[in-house]
Structures are given as C-alpha cells and as structure tokens.
Amino acid sequence: QPQLVESGGGLVQPGGTLRLICVASGMGISIHNLAWFRQAPGKEREFVAAISWRGDLINYAESVKDRFNISKDNSANMVHLEMNRLKPEDTAVYYCNAGGSFYTDYYTPGEVWGQGTQVTVSS
C-alpha cells in the first residue's frame, strides 16, 4: 500500500527556517500531484502548498506565499517544503498528501496522507 512519511519538524524561533521532507513508498511520485497541509490546535486542516506531477504547476496559500517553497525529487521519491521567515502562526502539524487535484482557485487533497510532523515556532 502507498505510504508517506514526514520528517524535519521541530522547535524554531520566529524568523527561522525549517525544511520538511516527505518520503513516499509504494507509489511513484512522478505521476501524482503532491501537497502539504497543516493543522493547528482548534483549527481546521488547511492547504499550504501543492506541486503537479509534471512539476509545472505550483500553488501556495496566501498566508505562506513568498515565504515557503515546495519542490520534489522524483529519483528519490521525495517532496520538500522549505519554510523561511517562520512566524508563531505557522505552528501546526504538517501533513504530506498525494493524489490531489488542482482547480482554478482551490486544491482538493488526495487519499494518501502521512502521519504528520510537528512544527513549533516560538521564542
């Protein structure tokens, strides 16, 4: 069965940088759209960023645009999320997702989720 495993989370000070990694198994990421979502305590899970299987279409949530960068390495079957200039409001569990769909003004997640990695931004 396809699986996603996230890593790279941790505690970081405001203004700092973290790089999240998602490793896929049981599936080839070169033929699937990939995305990152996050969920803060008491909040709904929200979209963060997505990249198409071709790598030619990338979308970001307005709250992270110009700060986060999504990328992938097909040969290593990994997707990355580089998070720069982190803010306390970025604190959440970050989830990797595969198999979603792009629409004009939104992105719907696919069926495959990772277990999540905790990101805490605090001084």
Side-chain angles (χ1 to χ4, degrees):
Q1 69 273 29
Q3 290 185 327
L4 301 172
V5 179
E6 305 95 334
S7 63
L11 175 64
V12 64
Q13 293 184 339
T17 297
L18 282 176
R19 185 175 177 88
L20 304 183
I21 300 170
C22 173
V23 180
S25 61
M27 62 186 300
I29 66 168
S30 63
I31 60 172
H32 297 285
N33 296 331
L34 304 166
W36 290 93
F37 288 74
R38 68 186 183 187
Q39 187 167 22
K43 301 290 186 179
E44 296 289 322
R45 186 171 298 186
E46 66 176 357
F47 171 78
V48 176
I51 183 168
S52 65
W53 67 273
R54 289 182 181 269
D56 61 346
L57 180 60
I58 296 176
N59 284 349
Y60 296 98
E62 287 295 323
S63 59
V64 307
K65 187 177 180 181
D66 300 324
R67 297 190 297 120
F68 290 12
N69 290 287
I70 188 171
S71 61
K72 66 190 184 85
D73 183 344
N74 289 341
S75 64
N77 229 30
M78 297 191 303
V79 58
H80 306 271
L81 183 68
E82 181 183 296
M83 306 184 294
N84 303 297
R85 291 174 283 140
L86 283 161
K87 305 175 181 180
E89 50 262 47
D90 294 319
T91 296
V93 177
Y94 284 71
Y95 298 90
C96 186
N97 175 264
S101 300
F102 289 87
Y103 294 92
T104 302
D105 55 358
Y106 65 98
Y107 183 90
T108 60
E111 296 180 353
V112 183
W113 293 91
Q115 298 96 269
T117 185
Q118 176 72 50
V119 173
T120 302
V121 185
S122 176
S123 59

